[in-house]
C-alpha cells in the first residue's frame, strides 16, 4: 500500500485541463459522468457488503460474550468466537448464493451517475431501466451543452434513481485508491462512499479528489 502525500492543487488547476469524453463539466462547475460496473468481473460490491455484514455479526457475538462472563472470561471468549465463526460462515455462504441472483436481477451491470465539484462528490445509483445513453444525454443537458430545461431534466434524472450518497471533501478522513477495480473509497466518521470511473477518466478523478481532500489520509494500492 502506497502512502500519497497531499498536494497543493486547487480546483483552478483543473479548469483548463482537457477532459476525457466520459466526463462533462457543466456551466455550474459540476463534473458529471456515468459508470457501468460489470458485476460479474468486478467484486467490489460483494466484498463491501460482505465486510459490513461481518461487522454486524460482531454484535450478537459480543452480546453472548457479556452474557457468558459468569462462566469465566475464557469460556465467554470461546463462546463469542464460536458464535461469530458460525454467523460469519452462514453470511459468507448466503453471499455466495445471493450475489449471482442479484447480479442477474441487475442485468450484470451496476449503473452509477456521479456529480463532483470542489465541495464534494455524489454517488447516484440509477434505476435499472435507465440506459447509459439516456443518462449521458441527460448529463449533456444538465451541463448546458444542449438546449432544454435544466431543472426539469435534473428532476427526471433523480426520479430514476434508487439512492444517493454524498461525501463532503472537508469531512473525508481517509481516501483509498484502487485503480485495478476503478474505485476510490471515501470514508467520513459515519459515512462511506465509493467513487468509480472508467480507466481513461480515473487519473483525473483521482487527482481532483486527492487535491480537495486536504485533511484525509490517502493511500493507493
Amino acid at each position: 500500500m502506497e502512502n500519497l502525500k497531499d498536494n497543493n492543487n486547487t480546483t483552478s488547476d483543473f479548469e483548463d485541463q482537457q477532459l476525457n469524453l466520459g466526463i462533462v463539466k457543466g456551466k455550474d462547475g459540476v463534473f458529471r459522468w456515468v459508470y457501468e460496473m460489470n458485476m460479474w468481473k468486478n467484486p467490489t460490491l460483494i466484498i463491501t457488503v460482505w465486510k459490513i455484514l461481518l461487522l454486524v455479526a460482531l454484535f450478537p457475538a459480543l452480546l453472548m460474550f457479556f452474557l457468558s462472563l459468569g462462566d469465566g472470561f475464557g469460556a465467554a471468549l470461546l463462546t463469542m468466537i464460536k458464535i461469530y465463526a458460525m454467523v460469519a460462515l452462514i453470511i459468507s455462504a448466503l453471499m455466495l448464493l445471493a450475489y449471482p441472483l442479484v447480479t442477474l436481477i441487475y442485468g450484470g451491470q451496476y449503473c452509477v451517475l456521479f456529480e463532483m465539484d470542489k465541495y464534494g462528490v455524489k454517488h447516484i445509483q440509477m434505476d435499472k431501466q435507465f440506459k447509459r445513453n439516456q443518462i449521458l444525454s441527460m448529463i449533456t443537458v444538465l451541463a448546458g451543452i444542449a438546449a432544454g430545461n435544466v431543472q426539469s431534466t435534473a428532476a427526471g434524472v433523480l426520479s430514476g434513481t434508487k439512492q444517493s450518497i454524498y461525501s463532503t471533501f472537508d469531512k473525508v478522513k481517509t481516501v483509498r485508491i484502487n485503480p485495478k477495480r476503478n474505485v476510490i473509497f471515501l470514508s467520513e466518521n459515519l459515512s462511506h462512499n465509493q467513487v468509480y470511473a472508467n480507466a481513461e477518466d480515473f487519473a483525473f478523478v483521482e487527482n481532483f479528489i486527492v487535491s480537495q481532500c486536504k485533511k484525509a489520509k490517502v493511500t493507493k494500492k
Side-chain angles (χ1 to χ4, degrees), residues 5 13 43-44 54 66 70 97-99 115 144 149 157 167 172 177:
K5 291 185 178 179
D13 295 326
T44 301
L54 289 181
F66 290 112
L97 292 174
Y99 188 74
E115 295 182 339
N149 188 310
V157 172
S167 293
V172 172
I177 305 166

Side-chain angles (χ1 to χ4, degrees), residues 17-160:
Q17 181 170 340
Q18 180 65 42
L19 297 182
N20 290 302
L21 295 178
I23 299 179
V24 176
K25 183 181 180 182
K27 292 182 178 179
D28 55 1
V30 177
F31 297 102
R32 295 181 175 91
W33 70 96
V34 61
Y35 181 82
E36 284 185 334
M37 175 192 291
N38 186 324
M39 296 175 68
W40 297 112
K41 295 181 179 180
N42 192 330
T44 301
L45 285 178
I46 188 173
I47 291 174
T48 300
V49 174
W50 181 63
K51 287 181 178 179
I52 293 173
L53 292 177
L54 289 181
L55 182 61
V56 172
L58 277 174
F59 291 98
L62 285 172
L63 177 61
M64 289 304 301
F65 170 77
F66 290 112
L67 291 176
S68 304
L69 277 176
D71 299 328
F73 180 84
L77 182 61
L78 183 60
T79 299
M80 183 186 75
I81 293 174
K82 287 181 178 179
I83 291 177
Y84 183 76
M86 180 179 63
V87 175
L89 183 61
I90 293 173
I91 288 174
S92 300
L94 289 176
M95 286 297 299
L96 290 175
L97 292 174
Y99 188 74
L101 178 60
V102 173
T103 302
L104 288 172
I105 292 174
Y106 273 81
Q109 299 289 329
Y110 178 75
C111 189
V112 196
L113 170 66
F114 289 98
E115 295 182 339
M116 180 176 70
D117 59 15
K118 63 181 180 180
Y119 302 108
V121 59
K122 179 180 285 188
H123 172 137
I124 307 172
Q125 181 183 347
M126 304 305 298
D127 209 345
K128 63 181 180 180
Q129 68 263 26
F130 274 69
K131 302 298 183 181
R132 179 183 175 88
N133 59 346
Q134 291 176 309
I135 301 171
L136 288 174
S137 65
M138 290 178 179
I139 290 176
T140 302
V141 177
L142 285 171
I145 295 176
N149 188 310
V150 174
Q151 286 74 24
S152 62
T153 306
V157 172
L158 292 176
S159 67

